[in-house]
Amino acid sequence: MREPSKLQKQAISHLKGPAMVIAGPGSGKTFTIIQRILNLVQNHHIPPDNILVITYTKAAANEMKERYEKAISQSFLCNNESARWGNVNFGTFHSICYNILKQCGRANASSLIKEVDKRKLLQIILGNNGLASKCNYDIISKLQNHISRIKNLGNMPASSNKSFPENTNGLSALFSVEELFLIQKEYDQYLREQGMIDFDDMITESLSLLSSNQAILCRYQNIFQYILADEFQDINYPQYEILKLLALPSNNLFVVGDDDQAIYGFRGATPGIMKRFLTDYTEGTQILLTENYRCGTEIVCLAQQVISQNKERFVKEFYPIRAGGKLKSSCFDNRKEEEAELINHLLGLDMECLIDTAVIVRTNMEVIQYKELLKSSGIAVRGSKKNEEDIFSGFMIEDISAFLAFLYEGRKRSDFLHFMNKPNRFFTRMALTGEKVSLQQMEQYYRQNPQMLSKVQLFFRHIKIASGLHPHLAVSFFRKTLGYDNYLHEKAQDYKDYQRLLAKADQIQCFMKAFKGNSVREFIDCQAEKTGQNPLKEVEEHGAAVCTMHGAKGLEFGRVFLPDVNEGIIPGKECVTPSALEEERRLLYVAITRAREELYIYYTKERGRKLSRYLQGIIPPP
């Protein structure tokens, strides 16, 4: 085990009271945390079960626990003492809070609402409020994210007259502030009535419990006498309030983070919490770990130049420990040239080098596109995949089940809206005047439009034919005769994506052969639940990593490619406020500092595109 640096020793030796460690990329923060735990246990005889270590993800918690257990086994190599030093509490905020709720009788194994049930509940709430036409898969997903963000911010409006946060992910164009308020109010009310909680409630309910019940708070304060919180820049205000409560009265709170890597504003996290820590704990110790053991000098210097442009940050200098580091920027006339250069470079790598390589992009959609680009060029891509396509999630199962329900279960307007314009027939909702849809009401609406009238009549003739078919044949009719496969072609990103969608549609069609005449949705839900109890086996694949800038956080690679570093991509066109622009710069900083040895930055100039403003004046022009 290597000897800690002078700065790391300062953090490791800290014993009592609050401390904030600002740990830059590659500064050895996990090593420092592990060594501090060992110092507490071995040198100060702190009982391990009085130590709480909170991390951001389950994977990080498991990794830290494994590294700690390895360290204690090495320390007690000659005796059997290691077992009694191994009871340190490692967990995420959510797992710790869930355990508190369970131990206090506020939750149990059946309390947490399932994801599929959460979606159903929101569909019902929309229907109850005359908003059934907005029950599609994407809108429900946006509503889930919106509700989560409100809870993470800890500021649910007290009345519908108060505004929600600015970023509603496009929901403001679909719902009024009053409607959004009502949806969340009914959602939370139903969960309370049923004694259920969702993922975010683990935090808010725990905060409420600890704030209102002094006896319970004292119990956990006595258990968790020394608290270490990793990735402190990623916590939100409710989580911070829980930390402060648990740390009382001794305030042995040791937090580790990097304000320059705060990239989860959409979850309520803000780098401002790190500055607030120093205000809340004026007696606290501040330690800077600014030595970078990961990246070569050239890469560290670029990262420093980029992030130093941000104003809302702790001012600090970075000190690269490793010399070298290859940095190359390239400008291309168009995207095709850029992709060709990337492919040529990756094709020249052997498998050992490839698995230490990452292509890091801005959005999930770009991840899909670049994965397909690499695979189609014969380049192995890292990841895991199920040995079958999951047919019980996504827009397609919703569309097809709505079509079948319309055929067999009452011609409901809410079902009809799911598929009437897939592909687009230019049917309008205004033609649907009742809760049930009929040919007569649509004929009445289009009575002065012969072309549309003919289209409506043909469509309903097809509906009548499909109604007499077994469901798996009706699905085939829906796809071929009514044109749903054409809709999938329009929706697909490329040919390979279209083939994937067709394969999924084939599976759904085949699956419907087992339908015996009950409710379509009950049949599908029942089969989905069975599949959920027996998850499909995942197969690990080795190769180059393709991930978003968010997804790359915490990872490192020998070489990193950053394509499309253009204005409008990073920062995105929608980013206009100073805080949003600074968070986008932090994203780029995170991406840059994933590279140990080689960093390749690509951008294009087609259609007047420019290099990202974050790199203008830093890397040389073409």
Side-chain angles (χ1 to χ4, degrees):
M1 187 176 294
R2 68 174 176 83
E3 187 71 16
S5 69
K6 182 179 178 180
L7 294 173
Q8 288 173 336
K9 283 179 179 177
Q10 185 184 353
I12 291 166
S13 61
H14 177 82
L15 179 59
K16 291 186 177 293
M20 181 169 73
V21 178
I22 301 174
S27 60
K29 69 180 180 66
T30 304
F31 168 80
T32 302
I33 291 170
I34 298 298
Q35 292 302 306
R36 179 170 187 258
I37 301 170
L38 288 172
N39 181 53
L40 291 174
V41 174
Q42 292 179 275
N43 299 329
H44 299 284
H45 310 293
I46 306 299
D49 51 10
N50 286 155
I51 300 173
L52 172 64
V53 183
I54 300 178
T55 64
Y56 194 66
T57 65
K58 185 177 179 180
N62 290 337
E63 180 190 356
M64 198 168 287
K65 183 178 181 182
E66 288 171 6
R67 288 181 63 171
Y68 173 70
E69 290 173 347
K70 182 178 179 181
I72 58 176
S73 68
Q74 292 172 344
S75 300
F76 297 105
L77 201 59
C78 299
N79 56 44
N80 295 319
E81 288 288 305
S82 63
R84 69 188 183 96
W85 301 113
N87 296 323
V88 173
N89 301 282
F90 291 90
T92 64
F93 264 105
H94 290 90
S95 66
I96 298 299
C97 288
Y98 188 47
N99 284 331
I100 289 174
L101 293 175
K102 284 200 298 183
Q103 291 163 8
C104 296
R106 301 296 182 93
N108 55 50
S110 61
S111 297
L112 187 62
I113 187 170
K114 296 177 183 176
E115 197 65 24
V116 64
D117 292 334
K118 191 191 297 186
R119 299 186 74 90
K120 284 183 192 174
L121 174 57
L122 287 171
Q123 287 176 344
I124 292 169
I125 291 170
L126 289 173
N128 291 346
N129 289 281
L131 300 167
S133 63
K134 299 175 181 178
C135 275
N136 71 47
Y137 188 87
D138 291 338
I139 293 176
I140 295 292
S141 297
K142 288 179 180 180
L143 279 172
Q144 286 181 285
N145 293 335
H146 173 73
I147 291 172
S148 176
R149 184 165 185 263
I150 292 294
K151 292 185 179 185
N152 285 327
L153 287 169
N155 65 347
M156 170 66 178
S159 76
S160 59
N161 293 324
K162 293 191 176 182
S163 297
F164 280 86
E166 293 177 11
N167 180 15
T168 56
N169 199 19
L171 289 176
S172 57
L174 299 166
F175 302 96
S176 65
V177 170
E178 289 76 14
E179 287 171 336
L180 287 173
F181 171 80
L182 185 62
I183 291 165
Q184 176 153 1
K185 183 179 178 183
E186 291 192 16
Y187 171 83
D188 285 335
Q189 184 176 334
Y190 177 85
L191 292 186
R192 285 194 298 270
E193 288 173 356
Q194 301 300 316
M196 302 183 79
I197 58 174
D198 65 17
F199 194 68
D200 301 299
D201 289 331
M202 293 180 191
I203 305 298
T204 57
E205 292 296 315
S206 292
L207 177 57
S208 176
L209 177 64
L210 296 172
S211 301
S212 61
N213 192 314
Q214 189 63 33
I216 290 176
L217 176 60
C218 286
R219 183 203 309 177
Y220 288 100
Q221 287 172 337
N222 289 331
I223 296 172
F224 304 134
Q225 294 181 20
Y226 288 81
I227 301 174
L228 297 87
D230 189 19
E231 302 288 8
F232 186 63
Q233 78 281 348
D234 291 334
I235 73 168
N236 54 46
Y237 281 113
Q239 292 168 342
Y240 180 49
E241 293 302 316
I242 289 172
L243 277 183
K244 290 198 297 182
L245 285 171
L246 290 176
L248 288 170
S250 56
N251 289 329
N252 294 325
L253 180 58
F254 183 90
V255 301
V256 182
D258 181 9
D259 57 318
D260 289 332
Q261 295 187 70
I263 58 174
Y264 292 107
F266 61 91
R267 293 178 183 166
T270 166
I273 291 179
M274 294 190 73
K275 289 192 174 180
R276 180 169 161 178
F277 182 91
L278 296 178
T279 303
D280 291 342
Y281 299 101
T282 53
E283 77 284 15
T285 301
Q286 182 181 355
I287 303 165
L288 272 70
L289 300 184
T290 52
E291 296 164 321
N292 188 310
Y293 294 88
R294 177 192 300 156
C295 312
T297 302
E298 291 295 316
I299 297 169
V300 173
C301 290
L302 174 66
Q304 171 81 29
Q305 286 179 282
V306 169
I307 201 61
S308 62
Q309 298 175 70
N310 270 7
K311 293 182 173 59
E312 292 297 316
R313 64 185 293 265
F314 293 105
V315 178
K316 45 193 173 291
E317 294 286 331
F318 303 109
Y319 304 99
I321 301 301
R322 298 173 57 248
K326 179 180 179 181
L327 173 61
K328 182 181 180 183
S329 63
S330 302
C331 179
F332 302 93
D333 287 334
N334 53 61
R335 181 80 175 268
K336 274 194 171 183
E337 288 183 6
E338 180 187 52
E339 292 175 351
E341 177 66 18
L342 174 65
I343 293 301
N344 286 337
H345 202 130
L346 294 177
L347 285 172
L349 301 176
D350 59 28
M351 181 55 75
E352 186 178 350
C353 291
L354 200 60
I355 60 177
D356 197 23
T357 298
V359 179
I360 302 177
V361 293
R362 178 64 187 86
T363 66
N364 287 315
M365 186 60 67
E366 288 173 291
V367 169
I368 295 171
Q369 292 168 350
Y370 274 93
K371 279 187 175 182
E372 289 302 323
L373 173 66
L374 267 58
K375 288 178 181 178
S376 65
S377 302
I379 297 167
V381 176
R382 178 193 301 190
S384 61
K385 66 174 183 179
K386 292 183 177 178
N387 56 2
E388 292 182 57
E389 180 79 43
D390 180 8
I391 67 171
F392 297 110
S393 64
F395 71 92
M396 197 184 303
I397 192 69
E398 282 201 359
D399 292 343
I400 292 175
S401 61
F403 173 70
L404 295 175
F406 183 79
L407 295 185
Y408 309 130
E409 297 168 24
R411 306 289 170 101
K412 294 178 184 175
R413 182 178 187 270
S414 56
D415 290 327
F416 191 72
L417 287 167
H418 268 289
F419 64 86
M420 70 176 188
N421 281 321
K422 296 180 179 179
N424 196 353
R425 299 177 176 89
F426 299 96
F427 291 166
T428 176
R429 288 185 173 91
M430 295 174 66
L432 314 178
T433 55
E435 284 305 306
K436 292 192 175 183
V437 177
S438 69
L439 170 61
Q440 289 72 29
Q441 65 184 233
M442 293 192 72
E443 284 180 327
Q444 176 64 22
Y445 183 85
Y446 289 114
R447 64 188 182 278
Q448 296 183 35
N449 187 334
Q451 186 177 4
M452 286 300 296
L453 189 61
S454 175
K455 185 182 291 188
V456 166
Q457 290 168 343
L458 176 62
F459 187 68
F460 273 85
R461 283 200 296 273
H462 286 152
I463 290 290
K464 184 176 181 180
I465 294 170
S467 300
L469 300 174
H470 185 278
H472 85 279
L473 294 175
V475 173
S476 176
F477 192 86
F478 178 55
R479 294 175 60 191
K480 307 301 181 185
T481 306
L482 291 178
Y484 190 71
D485 280 2
N486 295 334
Y487 165 73
L488 296 179
H489 188 269
E490 294 167 2
K491 191 174 180 68
Q493 298 300 313
D494 51 36
Y495 181 74
K496 286 214 165 189
D497 189 35
Y498 177 49
Q499 294 302 309
R500 181 187 65 81
L501 293 175
L502 289 181
K504 186 170 182 176
D506 289 341
Q507 283 184 279
I508 296 173
Q509 185 176 327
C510 185
F511 157 75
M512 291 309 302
K513 287 182 180 179
F515 182 73
K516 300 296 183 184
N518 300 318
S519 162
V520 170
R521 286 198 174 88
E522 285 180 13
F523 171 71
I524 291 173
D525 291 346
C526 178
Q527 299 304 313
E529 191 169 335
K530 289 179 183 178
T531 301
Q533 293 168 358
N534 300 287
L536 300 172
K537 185 179 179 182
E538 291 194 341
V539 180
E540 289 296 323
E541 297 179 315
H542 299 288
V546 182
C547 56
T548 64
M549 294 178 179
H550 283 103
K553 190 167 176 289
L555 305 176
E556 61 179 80
F557 305 90
R559 68 200 50 75
V560 166
F561 293 86
L562 302 181
D564 305 322
V565 187
N566 281 93
E567 191 72 13
I569 303 294
I570 177 81
K573 294 175 183 176
E574 72 285 354
C575 294
V576 292
T577 65
S579 61
L581 289 168
E582 291 214 345
E583 180 159 321
E584 289 279 296
R585 186 180 279 113
R586 292 193 292 269
L587 261 180
L588 181 59
Y589 171 74
V590 166
I592 289 170
T593 53
R594 300 311 93 195
R596 292 193 305 270
E597 308 285 350
E598 302 173 21
L599 176 65
Y600 299 87
I601 296 174
Y602 293 164
Y603 62 104
T604 66
K605 57 183 180 181
E606 65 178 336
R607 297 194 300 276
R609 301 175 80 196
K610 296 179 181 178
L611 174 66
S612 168
R613 70 183 75 178
Y614 300 144
L615 293 176
Q616 289 177 17
I618 296 177
I619 64 174

